Amino acid sequence: MVYILGGWQSDFKRNWAREGLEIGDGFAEALHGGLDAVNMAPDEIEVGHVGNFVGDLFSGQGQLGGFCAMAEPAFDGLPTSRHEAACASGGVAMLAAMADIESGRYGTAAVLGLEMMRNTPGETAAAYLGAAAWVGHEYQQARYVWPRAFSDLTDEYDRRYGIDEAHLRRISQINFANARLNPNAQTRDYVFNDASFSADDEANPVIEGRVRKSDCGQVTDGAAMVVLASAGRAADYARRRGLPLESLPRIKGWGHRSGPISYQRKIEAAAGSDHVFPQVKRAIDEARARAGLPLDGIDAVETHDCFSMTEYMAIDHLGLTAPGESWKAIEAGDIEKGGRLPINPSGGLIGCGHPVGATGVRMALDAFRQTTGTAGGCQVEGARNVQTLNIGGSTTTTVSLVIGRD
């Protein structure tokens, strides 16, 4: 068993470059913030895992595991690794740390995800992020690669099932509203009106194809850290703090699947499938199967909404509706707080922000907060089990976790 002892998240509203900070500064703040949050000394951490996608491009900085010892001298000699899987980098870092603990190699792990992305112009940032597509083979005519890719996904849903883009705008509206209650959300102070979520080309301009401004996740600087522990180490931790072990959430199940890097190859491979992305469906179902929980055993979801269309896809792949009928859950209010299955009570990538390498770790941290009743204004009442869905590229990599208390 792997337990989550707690963690820390930066304020995603911040712009590190404007503060005169480098990526290493953000790393150090997250590392110490996480240790302080769980009240652990550095010598209690046995291994470090870092999730990051494009530090090499945005900051010219690789070898990020080396910042553990730079930030904390006591970590000199700590075994560390960096993990890259585009927007699923944080999720893959979580899986690697879990494997270290499950194998018995280490008893505790610090998992830190981060990205510095607001230090370049928007089009440059979009080009860097395009490295997660099949470079030189797809979307070469697109100004913005990922809005174009998820516009194509909108077209695919329209072709298969029909789609009303008003439902996509409603997803965004819900996530921005949730973010207003999150003190770490990038957009918590954004001001909108009804036209902000309409087809008004001035208030909500087209970015690429069928994707409008309100549909897009944020370009964000930020970091998140969690501390994982084996059952034995978690029991020691709980005993020293006078807590019952069952008060700590554990990672009950996981799913991890990958597909070809080409979006078109994925669509072709799924021609006979009920779901547009069968590997996403497999990862979701396998996480719940390993946890021994049906869908109605999940109290909330933190899902990858890099675009509103990504969440629309996630709704039917989670099994909340039949394939192509995500609109039914949106119209019924099922995905809202108080609904059948609240999705992204944190605000998600659209509302909270999307520092790419941090997202999978931030999702796990929000699941910890939900299941320990410490999510503040984002809290889903009575949440005991939360599922995460972290996606890299055009679903090239999918990681799903089920985190909960017994």
Side-chain angles (χ1 to χ4, degrees):
M1 293 185 184
V2 178
Y3 287 80
I4 302 180
L5 304 186
W8 182 89
Q9 174 194 335
S10 68
D11 181 350
F12 284 4
K13 185 178 178 180
R14 292 168 59 192
N15 183 313
W16 290 348
R18 288 182 183 172
E19 296 178 31
L21 303 179
E22 300 178 359
I23 193 169
D25 299 311
F27 190 108
E29 185 180 21
L31 187 67
H32 289 291
L35 291 173
D36 290 346
V38 297
N39 192 24
M40 290 181 74
D43 63 6
E44 296 180 85
I45 301 296
E46 298 178 13
V47 66
H49 290 273
V50 181
N52 177 266
F53 173 36
V54 277
D56 316 68
L57 295 177
F58 279 90
S59 300
Q61 183 65 65
Q63 193 73 333
L64 296 180
F67 280 107
C68 284
M70 286 290 288
E72 173 50 63
F75 281 155
D76 193 4
L78 183 79
T80 65
S81 302
R82 173 192 173 185
H83 306 273
E84 186 277 304
C87 301
S89 297
V92 169
M94 290 287 296
L95 291 175
M98 290 164 55
D100 266 350
I101 290 172
E102 289 163 339
S103 71
R105 184 178 294 172
Y106 303 108
T108 57
V111 187
L112 192 155
L114 83 164
E115 213 76 64
M116 182 174 184
M117 299 164 55
R118 300 179 73 186
N119 58 336
T120 64
E123 289 198 32
T124 302
Y128 289 164
L129 294 170
W134 190 16
V135 177
H137 295 272
E138 59 181 349
Y139 303 118
Q140 291 175 272
Q141 305 306 315
R143 184 179 182 188
Y144 300 108
V145 168
W146 292 115
R148 170 53 62 182
F150 286 92
S151 173
D152 285 358
L153 180 59
T154 307
D155 287 339
E156 180 64 18
Y157 262 76
D158 207 2
R159 184 186 68 80
R160 285 184 175 222
Y161 317 109
I163 195 167
D164 182 346
E165 292 179 21
H167 294 122
L168 304 182
R169 310 289 117 77
R170 180 58 186 155
I171 286 172
S172 298
Q173 194 171 27
I174 292 167
N175 289 342
F176 280 120
N178 289 345
R180 293 189 68 82
L181 303 174
N182 185 342
N184 288 317
Q186 184 174 353
T187 72
R188 62 186 183 269
D189 297 324
Y190 283 22
V191 176
F192 300 102
N193 56 42
D194 290 343
S196 302
F197 302 98
S198 71
D200 185 312
D201 288 341
E202 285 193 19
N204 193 21
V206 171
I207 305 300
E208 282 274 355
R210 299 174 74 164
V211 170
R212 292 181 178 270
K213 182 180 179 180
S214 68
D215 295 311
C216 300
Q218 309 304 313
V219 174
T220 311
D221 293 343
M225 177 185 160
V226 296
V227 176
L228 307 185
S230 65
R233 293 297 296 274
D236 290 343
Y237 176 88
R239 184 169 53 252
R240 292 200 307 271
R241 287 155 181 80
L243 302 171
L245 179 60
E246 57 268 24
S247 70
L248 295 175
R250 61 184 178 89
I251 302 173
K252 295 182 175 183
W254 57 272
H256 178 203
R257 292 289 168 180
S258 297
I261 196 168
S262 161
Y263 168 82
Q264 191 57 40
R265 282 278 298 277
K266 296 183 190 75
I267 295 301
E268 291 168 359
S273 171
D274 290 338
H275 291 87
V276 174
F277 292 128
Q279 303 310 335
V280 173
K281 179 66 173 167
R282 289 179 71 187
I284 290 168
D285 290 349
E286 288 168 355
R288 286 206 298 260
R290 289 183 172 111
L293 288 170
L295 177 63
D296 62 10
I298 303 297
D299 300 303
V301 169
E302 282 291 329
T303 196
H304 211 90
D305 59 321
C306 49
F307 299 92
S308 58
M309 188 61 227
T310 325
E311 182 172 330
Y312 191 93
M313 175 273 295
I315 291 169
D316 66 22
H317 285 59
L318 284 161
L320 193 54
T321 72
E325 296 183 358
S326 298
W327 61 271
K328 291 184 176 180
I330 298 165
E331 289 194 353
D334 290 343
I335 66 173
E336 300 175 39
K337 284 178 67 178
R340 177 184 167 199
L341 184 64
I343 294 180
N344 288 341
S346 69
L349 285 62
I350 287 174
C352 182
H354 184 31
V356 173
T359 288
V361 183
R362 191 274 303 161
M363 289 176 172
L365 176 58
D366 273 313
F368 169 88
R369 289 169 173 156
Q370 288 289 347
T371 56
T372 55
T374 58
C378 301
Q379 185 68 50
V380 174
E381 186 176 356
R384 294 187 66 86
N385 295 293
V386 175
Q387 185 161 18
T388 71
L389 180 59
N390 187 203
I391 289 168
S394 53
T395 74
T396 302
T397 305
T398 302
V399 177
S400 183
L401 304 175
V402 174
I403 294 167
R405 291 187 294 121
D406 293 322

